[in-house]
Amino acid sequence: METKIIKIDKKQINKSMIQEAGDILKRGGLVAFPTETVYGLGADALSEEAAAKIYAAKGRPSDNPLIVHITNMGDLEKVAEKIPAEAVKVAGKYWPGPLTMIFHKKDIVPYGTTGGLDTVAVRMPSHEIAREVIDAGGGFIAAPSANTSGRPSPTTAQHVKEDMDGRIEMIVDGGPVEIGVESTILDMTVTPPMILRPGAVTEEMLTELIGAVAVDHTLITADSTEAPKAPGMKYRHYAPNAELVIIEGPASKVTEEINRLARARQKEGYKVGIIGTEETVSGYTSGDVKSIGTREDESTIAGRLYAVLREFDDDGVNYIYSESFATGGIGSAIMNRLLKAAGHHVINIQ
Ligand code: AMP
Ligand code: MG
């Protein structure tokens, strides 16, 4: 199949192009489009056959459920049952936005979309192009990240093309995304609600709004022996081809240790990549050194994370050594993704 790539300016959305994308979705086809978090691979969430195509295109395990994207609260009631008052409160503040909530599902949502679960994950994105595509496609669009399963999520249309060219009908290129890591997932079927995946809507923000919020503790600890509660979080994920190792400890010692490790691997004939920050890159003496952003504004790090991992794939490096990041705010999402990309391989030098 030939993948059509269309460019849409989010400040001046071309309606006939949106219509074309919507028609493909309504026919049961696949369209990738930008959201504020990462690029999504869209299909009609209410059609089992359409959802099955997502699993095939991504090579995604069939027990890893999809998130249903909607654009208005009226549609939430069509797919979810027993919506608690707290969820309405959270939606009031953080929807549309980078937050997914889990509810008991209604029969209209096929098990092919929920990975066989009786619950459904729902998100209302804020990205203008995403919203237009969802509405044009019938209002209920399953849209996991538009990458091959296991690879870093796509934050540009070029990333989507690398993974999906020839596998899907259309890619809507709306430029680079804003946030760069996937939505926060909040399970509203348990008391208190539980964060199953950290994202840009943080634990701190949710606690301030609704009080106690639990966090699936398997998410940001180095220990990975216990299975996480979101089925998809158990898989190796977001991972570059190289072996990625995170070095944790006081900043100066981390730089020293990474320099030592890099030199040793280079001596063995390997290509080495280093993930540093604006504050530290000048301290690295060898290897392919990339700044992932500034520690003064961690949203810059979230925005660059997946692109940097993909760049190292393009460069063909064998080992990547990365600094570690603080785990408050968006830092929890960054460390969660980095730990998964590293298969929880951390060296602590405190
Ligand atoms: P992605 O669409 O690639 O961002 O991945 C969606 C994530 O949401 C995966 O980690 C899924 O396991 C999780 N998820 C989707 N639906 C549910 C659900 N009903 N219960 C728990 N986790 C879910
Ligand atoms: Mg994904």
Side-chain angles (χ1 to χ4, degrees), residues 8 12-22 128 132 136:
I8 297 187
Q12 213 179 342
I13 293 177
N14 180 320
K15 296 276 180 190
S16 74
M17 285 178 170
I18 294 285
Q19 199 52 53
E20 200 180 330
E128 275 312 311
E132 297 266 357

Side-chain angles (χ1 to χ4, degrees), residues 58 60 144-145 147 153 182 197 237-238:
K58 282 178 62 80
R60 182 172 173 117
S145 49
N147 52 289
S153 300
E182 299 82 350
R197 178 173 73 183
H237 232 123
Y238 322 121

Side-chain angles (χ1 to χ4, degrees), residues 72-152:
N72 61 80
M73 283 304 275
D75 282 350
L76 175 63
E77 285 166 25
K78 295 182 186 152
V79 290
E81 224 161 46
K82 295 186 244 166
I83 299 163
E86 277 173 330
V88 176
K89 200 167 170 187
V90 172
K93 176 122 185 172
Y94 293 113
W95 274 3
L99 174 83
T100 296
M101 286 190 274
I102 311 258
F103 302 99
H104 297 284
K105 82 170 190 72
K106 283 202 168 145
D107 290 342
I108 187 178
V109 185
Y111 284 112
T113 295
T114 66
L117 298 175
D118 287 313
T119 53
V120 60
V122 186
R123 179 161 102 85
M124 191 192 292
S126 63
H127 197 291
E128 275 312 311
I129 296 174
R131 297 176 62 81
E132 297 266 357
V133 170
I134 293 163
D135 281 339
F140 302 91
I141 301 298
S145 49
N147 52 289
T148 301
S149 198
R151 286 208 77 200

